[in-house]
Amino acid sequence: MTIDDERSYDVVIVGGALSGAATATLLLRQNPGVRVLIVEKSAQLTRRVGEATVEVSAYFMGRILGLTQYLNEHHLVKQGLRFWFTSDEVKNLEEASELGGQYQVRLPSYQLDRATFDEEVLRRACAAGADLLRPASVMNVQLSSGQDQTITLKNGEGSKTIRARWVVDASGVGALLARKEGWWKSNTAHPTAAAWSRWKGVKDWDGRELAEKFPKWASAVYSIRGTATNHVIGDGWWSWWIPLKGGDVSVGVVFDQRLVEWPQDDRGIGDRLKAFLMEHPVGREMLADAEFDAADLHWRKNLAYYSTTFAGDGFVLVGDAAAFMDPFYSPGMDWISFTATSAAELIAAQRRGEPMQERVERHNRDFANSHRRWFEAVYKDKYEYMGEFDLMSIAFTLDLGFYYLGIASQPFKMGIRALLVPPFSDWASRPFFYLIRAYNRRFAQIARRRRRLGTIGKRNRGRRCLIPGFTLKATDVGLLVKAMAKWIWLELTEGWHSWREPG
Ligand SMILES: Cc1cc2nc3c(=O)[nH]c(=O)nc-3n(C[C@H](O)[C@H](O)[C@H](O)COP(=O)(O)OP(=O)(O)OC[C@H]3O[C@@H](n4cnc5c(N)ncnc54)[C@H](O)[C@@H]3O)c2cc1C
């Protein structure tokens, strides 16, 4: 369509990547006859970061958007998370301590090439009835509570103002509405930064070369290592290694700017990224012959931010336009699953004639609480202990177990309704929030003390924690109980030294 088109719309969606296209799909499905316009800045979506799904986002894509067959044909089935730890004493891949699954995972998740994936979701949204204007930018939105919103669009042909009852902001980190309305806040308690690229020639984790060089290492795990998200990890930083269909590997580093000195020299981002990873014995082994794509290098500082407002009667924020917490554990597309589902429901409620004020208040309260508690429980100060094999082994088992028990299991039991309740937003999740926050804080304290004593990383050589993996069976609570017992033992043998230290 062209910018001169005189069609009118009920909903204008700013941004046609995953969060925008998914919201459009749900709106069209739930509101027959609704007129939806997606405005997308780019003529073609390019490769974007955020390629690993976890169980909730995989459920959303597979069972709600109905993409399972497409995902199987065009992307990779993911085999969970795997972590590689190091220290001064670790000399090679075999000596790097490993944390991850012994077997293949039990619930679906995927490694996506987001350029092709997001285009497909957008294509399907258009096939379901959405109009698409691209390349075109939304330059301004004038909000008007309970009335039509005024949207100014621009492309190569000129500019135009249109009106729609709802605006969905799916503009990603651009966060159009949050920045314009003064709701955008940097999360200064979490100063992380990232550098990344797509690579060719990364060694095959499951190939003959490594199996011959390190036979014991190769046979220690029954699962496929290569299609996991591998994390090569150090003190205050981690890196993701996400394989993409066709052989490229997405590799990037995320670090806490308070703990890690990123190389500041004349080399470009790619050379510094490679040099940084080559300090780690696993990085050295796997990247020996690898080359980054010089046209696909990225650097972003101060990753974490949020909007203080998520919706009003006439607008709603989804995906990265609403907030971004941290890429560790890949929560980005889970957040999209919750925000897109709730946004579509909010709009549907207004169209059914339901009163809006209470709903909008609830939406804002739930997402503000969810974002704050999710961050405080799982991410705050996690980089303090991220490089510690023993602490991370307990934390990962507990984090994963509670995710399965309280969050990932819910859509399998309740369907899409579960995605209307964002994580940590309801009363039932309160005790879990306090518990998760408690062990996360304690591990950070223990690691700080180790750093002071110069013992950081001393437990990182030659160990393996291979967890059997979680299912949705109630008996898996036993795995959580075992991990809790390990935490208590850690407190009794070491933790008590830091009980009186500030959190
Ligand atoms: C380092 C890093 C690693 C990550 N890893 C993961 C991961 O492994 N798994 C995961 O789930 N998440 C991950 N994420 C998060 C993930 O990338 C995002 O949550 C996700 O891509 C957000 O999708 P979105 O649709 O909200 O925004 P985007 O993908 O940013 O899309 C926004 C779209 O809006 C368009 N747009 C912007 N402004 C306008 C405008 N004014 N007018 C018209 N169009 C506009 C843009 O062109 C773009 O297409 C990671 C993030 C980072 C920073």
Side-chain angles (χ1 to χ4, degrees):
M1 62 177 294
T2 70
I3 203 159
D4 295 326
D5 222 304
E6 285 306 321
R7 269 172 274 184
S8 60
Y9 292 96
D10 301 306
V11 184
V12 169
I13 298 180
V14 187
L18 177 59
S19 62
T23 309
T25 306
L26 298 179
L27 280 170
L28 290 157
R29 191 183 296 166
Q30 294 162 2
N31 304 273
V34 70
R35 295 159 304 171
V36 176
L37 171 67
I38 302 172
V39 185
E40 170 50 47
K41 199 188 270 188
S42 62
Q44 184 74 35
L45 297 175
T46 50
R47 274 197 165 160
R48 63 198 53 226
V49 74
E51 293 133 320
T53 74
V54 282
E55 287 74 0
V56 169
S57 50
Y59 181 96
F60 180 70
M61 290 162 189
R63 302 212 183 184
I64 294 177
L65 299 182
L67 293 166
T68 303
Q69 187 179 6
Y70 163 78
L71 286 163
N72 277 324
E73 285 170 6
H74 298 276
H75 301 274
L76 296 176
V77 172
K78 173 178 160 183
Q79 292 305 329
L81 309 179
R82 200 165 285 285
F83 305 84
W84 303 94
F85 299 83
T86 191
S87 70
D88 296 345
E89 293 144 25
V90 176
K91 299 287 176 269
N92 58 33
L93 173 63
E94 189 160 40
E95 291 180 9
S97 288
E98 176 178 12
L99 164 64
Q102 172 80 326
Y103 294 90
Q104 308 279 90
V105 294
R106 310 291 281 275
L107 292 185
S109 58
Y110 304 93
Q111 309 287 26
L112 308 174
D113 184 335
R114 291 283 304 279
T116 55
F117 176 75
D118 288 31
E119 277 296 347
E120 177 64 14
V121 182
L122 181 57
R123 189 191 69 72
R124 290 181 186 222
C126 295
D131 280 346
L132 174 63
L133 186 64
R134 86 187 298 189
S137 292
V138 171
M139 305 307 290
N140 195 27
V141 178
Q142 211 177 317
L143 297 174
S144 196
S145 180
Q147 303 186 9
D148 278 356
Q149 319 307 311
T150 310
I151 302 119
T152 308
L153 313 169
K154 191 176 174 197
N155 72 359
E157 298 163 24
S159 65
K160 175 181 177 159
T161 298
I162 59 170
R163 297 166 86 79
R165 179 62 178 81
W166 284 89
V167 171
V168 175
D169 186 357
S171 62
V173 285
L176 183 80
L177 284 183
R179 288 180 202 265
K180 177 181 162 295
E181 300 293 331
W183 304 324
W184 191 93
K185 295 261 180 293
S186 175
N187 183 350
T188 51
H190 199 56
T192 48
W196 68 92
S197 186
R198 260 51 54 151
W199 301 64
K200 289 194 190 306
V202 176
K203 267 188 201 165
D204 177 359
W205 295 87
D206 307 289
R208 292 300 311 155
E209 180 188 338
L210 292 180
E212 279 163 17
K213 197 164 168 188
F214 305 114
K216 266 200 200 145
W217 171 90
S219 58
V221 164
Y222 309 142
S223 177
I224 295 171
R225 284 176 167 129
T227 47
T229 298
N230 280 281
H231 298 68
V232 172
I233 213 161
D235 186 21
W237 65 274
W238 61 281
S239 61
W240 73 81
W241 299 55
I242 299 177
L244 303 176
K245 184 109 176 178
D248 286 3
V249 182
S250 171
V251 180
V253 168
V254 187
F255 60 94
D256 187 322
Q257 296 163 85
R258 295 168 297 187
L259 297 169
V260 170
E261 192 91 3
W262 184 249
Q264 300 291 341
D265 53 46
D266 297 343
R267 292 172 298 172
I269 301 168
D271 289 323
R272 281 185 277 161
L273 176 61
K274 185 162 184 180
F276 186 89
L277 286 164
M278 296 286 275
E279 295 281 316
H280 194 296
V282 178
R284 222 162 26 243
E285 181 71 53
M286 302 305 292
L287 289 182
D289 308 314
E291 282 178 15
F292 53 82
D293 178 351
D296 182 28
L297 282 165
H298 307 268
W299 161 257
R300 201 184 291 168
K301 257 173 88 169
N302 302 326
L303 299 174
Y305 63 87
Y306 58 96
S307 173
T308 53
T309 300
F310 293 92
D313 183 357
F315 68 90
V316 57
L317 280 51
V318 294
D320 278 11
F324 181 73
M325 217 172 319
D326 192 295
F328 193 68
Y329 292 154
S330 302
M333 288 185 278
D334 277 14
W335 179 250
I336 290 178
S337 312
F338 288 103
T339 50
T341 307
S342 295
E345 174 55 22
L346 192 65
I347 296 171
Q350 184 272 322
R351 290 174 59 80
R352 290 193 297 266
E354 293 178 17
M356 278 286 100
Q357 191 182 342
E358 199 270 328
R359 269 190 171 270
V360 166
E361 280 171 13
R362 185 165 12 111
H363 186 101
N364 280 314
R365 194 177 52 240
D366 283 356
F367 279 99
N369 281 336
S370 171
H371 180 266
R372 184 179 57 76
R373 292 183 191 146
W374 195 343
F375 166 66
E376 281 184 15
V378 180
Y379 294 106
K380 189 163 187 294
D381 294 334
K382 202 175 206 89
Y383 289 62
E384 293 274 6
Y385 69 88
M386 198 162 251
E388 294 295 272
F389 168 78
D390 62 334
L391 303 181
M392 272 300 288
S393 299
I394 306 173
F396 172 60
T397 311
L398 292 173
D399 288 347
L400 186 67
F402 285 124
Y403 176 70
Y404 264 63
L405 188 72
I407 300 175
S409 55
Q410 299 310 300
F412 287 96
K413 290 181 191 156
M414 295 164 57
I416 192 170
R417 277 183 305 127
L419 300 180
L420 296 172
V421 185
F424 298 113
S425 64
D426 63 340
W427 62 267
S429 61
R430 273 292 183 90
F432 296 100
F433 160 62
Y434 289 118
L435 176 62
I436 298 169
R437 190 179 65 175
Y439 67 72
N440 189 42
R441 280 183 177 173
R442 287 295 304 135
F443 294 157
Q445 274 174 319
I446 292 169
R448 275 191 208 110
R449 180 171 172 275
R450 289 183 186 176
R451 200 171 287 112
R452 265 200 326 271
L453 297 177
T455 57
I456 203 96
K458 293 293 175 212
R459 295 157 184 80
N460 284 359
R461 184 170 168 272
R463 299 170 72 182
R464 229 171 276 289
C465 174
L466 299 175
I467 58 173
F470 285 90
T471 68
L472 301 183
K473 283 189 292 198
T475 46
D476 278 11
V477 171
L479 295 171
L480 277 169
V481 173
K482 268 195 207 155
M484 292 289 288
K486 284 188 187 165
W487 174 28
I488 293 167
W489 181 247
L490 178 79
E491 291 290 359
L492 297 176
T493 52
E494 180 188 359
W496 61 273
H497 289 290
S498 54
W499 282 350
R500 283 161 186 267
E501 290 175 9

